[in-house]
Amino acid sequence: MIRWTSRVKFLFLLPAVLWVLTFTIFPLGYSIYLSFHNVERQVVVSGREQVPVLDAAGNPVLRPDGKPRTRTEVQRELQTTFTWNQFANYARAFRDEQVWNAVRVTGTFVLVGVTTQILLGLALAWLFNRNIVARGFLRSIMILPIFATPIAIGYLFFTIFYEVGGPLSWTGVPWLSNPNWALTSVIIVDIWQWTPFCFLVFLAALQGIPDEMLESARLDTSSEWDLWRYVILPMLLPVIAIVLLLRLAEALKLFDIVATLTKGGPGIATQSYTYYAFNVGFKLNDFGYASAMAFLLLIVVMVIVTLFFRRLRQSYE
Amino acid sequence: MFRVPRDPLYRSISRRRFLELGGGAATALGAGSIAVGLNSVITRRPVYAASSDDAKWKQYAGSKLVFMSENTPPSFAIRDNLKPFYDLTGIEVEILTDDLPVVQQKVGIDLRSGKADFHLNYVQDKPIGAPFADFYADLMRFAGDDTLPQDPEGVADEAWFENFLTACGRMYSGERIIAFPYDCAVACTFYRQDLFEKYSKDFEADHGYRLEFTPDTTWKQLYEFAAFFKKLREAGQDVPYGYAQHHGSFAWTTQLDIQRMLFAHGRWIDFDIDDKLGSKTPGPTNWGDETSVFIMEKFREQAEVCHPDNLANGTLQLNTVYQAGQIAMQVQYHEFAASIEDENTSRAAGGKTAYAACPKGEPSWIKNGGPAVNGCNCGIGGIGINANASEDLQRAAYIFAVWATSRDTQFNVLKGVGGTPTRKSVLDIPEVQAARQRPTSMPNALTFEAVYDIGIRDPNFVLGPKIPEANEYHQIILTEVQKCVSGKQTAEEACLAIKEQVDDLHDL
């Protein structure tokens, strides 16, 4: 027999279970459902009723023939229709030029941004792993961007990139008004914010390499490059892989910087995949299509992550 | 040191029991606060047609309403001065304000989901009214109800400026009124009169006519003004750039920006429909015709002489650029005049700025044989009632709508942070008439000649297409226009791309 006190544990679990069901499982299931449907919400006239016309005192107004004067009251009803459309929303995504543009923008952003962050992060970690002046202070300064809110950063860089009177105006570069430069600006902001994260993790990994190993390697070579290539880099590889994975998954969801810095413009030059999906869903109220786009991204991310981990596991085995 | 009771409460309750009680209390409190927080309050005292006015105003005393509005001066002013309304009615109103794109998203979700978290909405004609028209209550039902308080001036067309009630209240047919005109944003030209006077001789020597704005100033001349200022600046003189357009994220303001130029040249409109009423089936668009391609090219040329951050500036940033003294002209909505005349924040304040109607069409640019007009477009912001709300909530909301659009409230807002009246009678108030000249305590009144005497009157007035897919339409225009302006495609390619997408949008 279960004691009352044993049942209590289920009660305590209930909020967490409800939370997951309400805010994770249900939205996920519902958005899958939406992605296979055309969702139409409209107000339809559900009926008409003749009601008596009343005068100021609340009495019925009579017609000359003595019958009560009436007026037609229209009853309206909100109707939601979910029309099963098989894979039409998914197929539409492949035909939609804006989707391909968003894929191109996001792909460029991920490729250039994440690669630069990892290379810069490695270089900085190497630098800060040596005895340099004010290392602790500089390290603290370096990691500050990680803690800033991307939305705030977007607005901050809007003022920095502003061509007239902005601190970078002397460059003469059309940071936000030229399609190519606008994407470059978005990438620069992301690099500025996330290179410190790569740097911090790489620095911790570098400091975790045993001194004995490095000292014995130095007996075999005096070349710093060889030391990196044959000793340090192989040891850092798992950490680099994890950082790459984390940054990749995050970068594919690029939204906040675009939303604040360029709003996807000029034109659609910086419209990322998630920003476009957001606009389709919440601006144009096409929830079925937006859900399909979101799931396509989810599938892409899952494929990348699975392949990535498989490759990582193989390299270990 | 402290006295410990012999049998204190905390010793008589086990830790487990304590946690159980605590958890239960927290759950109850959480559920209770959610229930209270999400629900509006409605209380009603019955009134009759013969009841006193006071009883009609007070019939929902103790109720609470939520109004989702754009962050415009009237909403700020009304939010800060709700006490008179509360004293009059006993109804508490919470006014939430945000940028229009955010308002559009929030009310869209609320309306389409069948909910009524926001009982009153800011119904901007095109981005909110046109797509969500069916979800608003018919205000005429309440306007003819003797048990509700009514405005002494009434709510018929004659009470408002011409076209205003139709613009925000009638969608696709005259059958229903979904909103009363609450505020308006009418385009007019803001220009630096001090700089125009200073450089007039130099300009006249170059171009053979005066550097000045009149109702007959054309878009071609505006281009020449802007090019002149840019040339001076490039020659090293300390002058602002000439002009800048509306881009950034407010898609419909980019659409309006090119539309007023198109309309000025032969009264070109996007679809062959009743522009003021709109249409659910607009048919094929006129984009791609000779006029649209020609004017698109002129718009692109205009961008070349604009402020360098032209493409990055939305409507709000554009006004900031003008305030900062970085441009000498902008076509802007007249509600911004108050911010321009604020000496604490604006370098264009203190009598430096003058206001004129939107430029006129250049006769030699007209391709469709129509007249040259001062194409002037606007956004009429209505106040509408969510039809998902209960009957009593709708009635209580109507009371607020009547008060918020009344002459006295609009006058108070105009005196305060700078309103944009929609009732004709406000302009008849002697204080307002006096305020149309400098020095003035109502800076928006300085624009009234350009706006109310010229801009909103036929044949100059153009609203912009009221179609259910208005937001999709604006987004298409924004994208293709910006691609053209940034050199990614030609004017013709842009217009044809718009036509293809818009016709596709309407299954044509």
Side-chain angles (χ1 to χ4, degrees):
Chain A
M1 185 183 157
I2 300 172
R3 288 165 48 223
W4 182 84
T5 48
S6 305
R7 287 202 303 271
V8 167
K9 66 188 174 204
F10 294 112
L11 189 69
F12 282 115
L13 276 176
L14 194 63
V17 172
L18 280 178
W19 182 272
V20 172
L21 281 175
T22 312
F23 295 108
T24 307
I25 306 296
F26 172 72
L28 198 68
Y30 188 63
S31 56
I32 291 176
Y33 176 78
L34 284 181
S35 73
F36 288 102
H37 289 80
N38 276 341
V39 187
E40 287 285 333
R41 288 183 195 273
Q42 53 189 344
V43 177
V44 293
V45 174
S46 58
R48 285 185 163 81
E49 194 183 349
Q50 293 296 315
V51 293
V53 177
L54 304 178
D55 66 10
N59 301 315
V61 178
L62 301 179
R63 290 195 313 215
D65 60 5
K67 291 179 181 169
R69 190 180 292 278
T70 58
R71 63 183 170 86
T72 307
E73 196 166 286
V74 178
Q75 282 135 13
R76 289 163 189 274
E77 194 180 306
L78 175 68
Q79 272 189 1
T80 307
T81 51
F82 294 88
T83 315
W84 166 254
N85 66 7
Q86 298 176 324
F87 287 90
N89 286 332
Y90 290 90
R92 182 179 159 195
F94 287 96
R95 291 195 309 270
D96 187 343
E97 272 184 38
Q98 291 216 36
V99 166
W100 289 111
N101 173 77
V103 167
R104 203 162 43 244
V105 168
T106 311
T108 310
F109 172 82
V110 169
L111 201 69
V112 180
V114 175
T115 309
T116 312
Q117 285 160 27
I118 289 193
L119 291 176
L120 265 178
L122 269 175
L124 287 168
W126 171 75
L127 191 70
F128 277 76
N129 198 33
R130 305 160 78 91
N131 284 326
I132 58 168
V133 181
R135 186 171 68 166
F137 173 73
L138 289 174
R139 197 168 50 201
S140 305
I141 296 287
M142 280 287 300
I143 60 172
L144 283 179
I146 301 175
F147 304 110
T149 316
I151 296 287
I153 289 175
Y155 285 122
L156 171 72
F157 272 87
F158 185 84
T159 59
I160 290 174
F161 287 135
Y162 210 69
E163 276 179 66
V164 181
L168 295 180
S169 57
W170 58 272
T171 59
V173 173
W175 294 104
L176 300 175
S177 50
N178 174 285
N180 298 329
W181 277 109
L183 183 57
T184 308
S185 305
V186 172
I187 293 172
I188 289 172
V189 175
D190 197 65
I191 290 172
W192 178 82
Q193 186 176 26
W194 291 109
T195 297
F197 168 74
C198 304
F199 151 73
L200 201 64
V201 179
F202 293 150
L203 184 64
L206 271 178
Q207 289 177 344
I209 297 175
D211 287 344
E212 299 81 13
M213 186 179 285
L214 295 176
E215 281 162 15
S216 54
R218 282 201 175 95
L219 294 175
D220 292 329
T221 178
S222 58
S223 162
E224 191 72 13
W225 168 243
D226 284 348
L227 193 69
W228 261 87
R229 188 175 167 194
Y230 296 111
V231 181
I232 297 175
L233 218 50
M235 295 201 71
L236 284 183
L237 215 53
V239 178
I240 293 175
I242 294 298
V243 170
L244 181 64
L245 186 71
L246 289 173
R247 287 303 308 133
L248 207 64
E250 195 62 33
L252 282 167
K253 295 185 288 183
L254 168 68
F255 178 83
D256 22 32
I257 296 173
V258 170
T260 46
L261 187 64
T262 61
K263 310 280 194 298
I268 47 172
T270 57
Q271 183 169 262
S272 66
Y273 190 87
T274 43
Y275 189 71
Y276 180 49
F278 170 82
N279 274 343
V280 168
F282 292 101
K283 207 166 175 181
L284 310 181
N285 299 109
D286 194 345
F287 292 107
Y289 184 38
S291 300
M293 285 176 64
F295 275 101
L296 283 175
L297 179 66
L298 183 69
I299 291 165
V300 169
V301 173
M302 280 169 67
V303 168
I304 291 173
V305 170
T306 309
L307 290 176
F308 202 85
F309 271 112
R310 185 176 293 171
R311 184 81 186 86
L312 202 65
R313 210 165 34 238
Q314 280 170 355
S315 69
Y316 272 109
E317 285 165 357
Chain B
M1 195 172 176
F2 296 103
R3 193 185 76 81
V4 179
R6 182 173 291 179
D7 190 17
L9 185 65
Y10 63 83
R11 282 192 185 161
S12 64
I13 298 175
S14 67
R15 193 164 59 94
R16 182 177 294 272
R17 181 73 182 142
F18 174 76
L19 287 171
E20 284 166 11
L21 287 171
T27 308
L29 275 173
S33 48
I34 286 171
V36 170
L38 292 185
N39 275 340
S40 52
V41 180
I42 190 78
T43 56
R44 184 181 183 188
R45 296 172 200 169
V47 291
Y48 306 96
S51 300
S52 68
D53 272 355
D54 186 53
K56 288 177 187 173
W57 282 106
K58 284 207 157 54
Q59 62 184 298
Y60 289 104
S63 303
K64 185 188 167 188
L65 299 169
V66 182
F67 176 25
M68 185 75 206
S69 183
E70 190 191 3
N71 42 12
T72 54
S75 295
F76 290 141
I78 287 177
R79 189 171 59 187
D80 293 342
N81 294 290
L82 277 169
K83 194 172 177 303
F85 178 72
Y86 183 79
D87 292 343
L88 178 69
T89 64
I91 299 173
E92 190 187 332
V93 181
E94 186 177 354
I95 300 183
L96 308 172
T97 58
D98 218 319
D99 284 348
L100 194 52
V102 180
V103 175
Q104 177 205 44
Q105 287 159 19
K106 288 185 175 175
V107 302
I109 291 169
D110 194 42
L111 294 166
R112 289 168 60 91
S113 63
K115 290 172 68 67
D117 287 341
F118 311 124
H119 315 107
L120 288 145
N121 287 182
Y122 183 73
V123 186
Q124 253 278 1
D125 46 20
K126 294 165 290 277
I128 296 177
F132 306 123
D134 290 344
F135 299 89
Y136 288 107
D138 181 6
L139 301 186
M140 291 322 285
R141 193 158 59 86
F142 303 115
D145 189 332
D146 289 337
T147 61
L148 283 166
Q150 304 294 347
D151 192 288
E153 293 180 0
V155 290
D157 287 86
E158 300 74 44
W160 318 97
F161 289 107
E162 57 195 87
N163 300 317
F164 276 24
L165 185 62
T166 300
C168 73
R170 294 190 178 97
M171 296 289 157
Y172 317 122
S173 76
E175 205 177 277
R176 301 165 72 229
I177 298 288
I178 63 158
F180 291 148
Y182 168 75
D183 70 5
C184 61
V186 183
C188 63
T189 311
F190 295 32
Y191 66 100
R192 288 285 298 273
Q193 196 171 24
D194 57 331
L195 298 173
F196 271 55
E197 284 170 4
K198 184 176 175 186
Y199 294 102
S200 186
K201 280 185 182 167
D202 296 342
F203 181 85
E204 197 171 355
D206 278 359
H207 293 82
Y209 66 96
R210 291 176 62 81
L211 181 62
E212 63 179 2
F213 251 104
T214 71
D216 289 324
T217 300
T218 66
W219 281 104
K220 183 169 177 274
Q221 288 171 331
L222 181 134
Y223 172 86
E224 287 170 355
F225 297 166
F228 172 75
F229 277 105
K230 189 178 182 189
K231 199 171 138 193
L232 285 182
R233 193 177 168 101
E234 282 172 355
Q237 293 215 39
D238 185 20
V239 291
Y241 284 94
Y243 188 68
Q245 300 166 325
H246 293 248
H247 287 288
S249 66
F250 280 31
W252 62 88
T253 57
T254 301
Q255 184 267 329
L256 293 171
D257 205 27
I258 189 164
Q259 186 194 40
R260 53 182 152 255
M261 208 166 152
L262 280 157
F263 189 76
H265 296 92
R267 302 189 82 221
W268 184 98
I269 54 171
D270 319 56
F271 302 93
D272 294 326
I273 58 174
D274 180 340
D275 178 61
K276 293 167 188 112
L277 212 52
S279 171
K280 284 190 174 180
T281 50
T285 176
N286 291 325
W287 281 101
D289 67 8
E290 193 185 0
T291 302
S292 64
V293 173
F294 187 84
I295 298 299
M296 178 72 85
E297 177 57 23
K298 292 298 173 192
F299 192 75
R300 190 195 62 72
E301 286 172 11
Q302 188 187 72
E304 285 177 357
V305 294
C306 280
H307 184 276
D309 288 293
N310 188 40
L311 276 170
N313 291 324
T315 291
L316 303 179
Q317 288 94 358
L318 171 61
N319 191 59
T320 309
V321 167
Y322 183 86
Q323 274 185 304
Q326 291 186 6
I327 49 174
M329 298 176 283
Q330 62 167 344
V331 171
Q332 187 56 279
Y333 298 96
H334 78 303
E335 62 186 328
F336 288 97
S339 66
I340 295 301
E341 298 295 335
D342 182 349
E343 296 202 14
N344 296 317
T345 58
S346 172
R347 289 187 186 176
K352 292 177 186 165
T353 296
Y355 304 90
C358 290
K360 205 170 188 172
E362 161 64 31
S364 63
W365 290 3
I366 294 173
K367 302 291 168 194
N368 63 2
V373 296
N374 297 87
C376 173
N377 44 21
C378 58
I380 309 298
I383 184 165
I385 298 172
N386 187 333
N388 300 325
S390 70
E391 178 69 12
D392 276 328
L393 275 169
Q394 288 186 34
R395 286 168 57 88
Y398 180 80
I399 294 176
F400 180 75
V402 167
W403 178 81
T405 56
S406 66
R407 186 189 85 134
D408 289 350
T409 304
Q410 292 200 352
F411 177 53
N412 287 333
V413 172
L414 181 62
K415 278 196 297 186
V417 291
T420 50
T422 55
R423 272 190 185 276
K424 277 181 187 168
S425 57
V426 179
L427 261 61
D428 297 334
I429 299 171
E431 273 178 86
V432 177
Q433 286 183 346
R436 291 169 68 142
Q437 308 298 328
R438 292 180 191 276
T440 180
S441 58
M442 303 174 206
N444 281 359
L446 295 171
T447 65
F448 286 177
E449 186 184 339
V451 166
Y452 295 115
D453 297 348
I454 302 172
I456 63 165
R457 297 206 168 159
D458 288 330
N460 301 319
F461 182 82
V462 57
L463 191 61
K466 291 198 318 196
I467 52 175
E469 299 82 12
N471 293 315
E472 288 89 333
Y473 179 71
H474 297 148
Q475 198 60 42
I476 290 168
I477 303 290
L478 171 89
T479 302
E480 300 305 329
V481 167
Q482 290 191 357
K483 276 160 85 174
C484 173
V485 168
S486 61
K488 286 277 181 186
Q489 63 185 358
T490 65
E492 186 174 9
E493 285 166 350
C495 292
L496 292 175
I498 291 171
K499 179 166 180 60
E500 188 186 336
Q501 292 172 69
V502 172
D503 285 349
D504 187 49
L505 188 69
H506 295 122
D507 297 325
L508 296 168

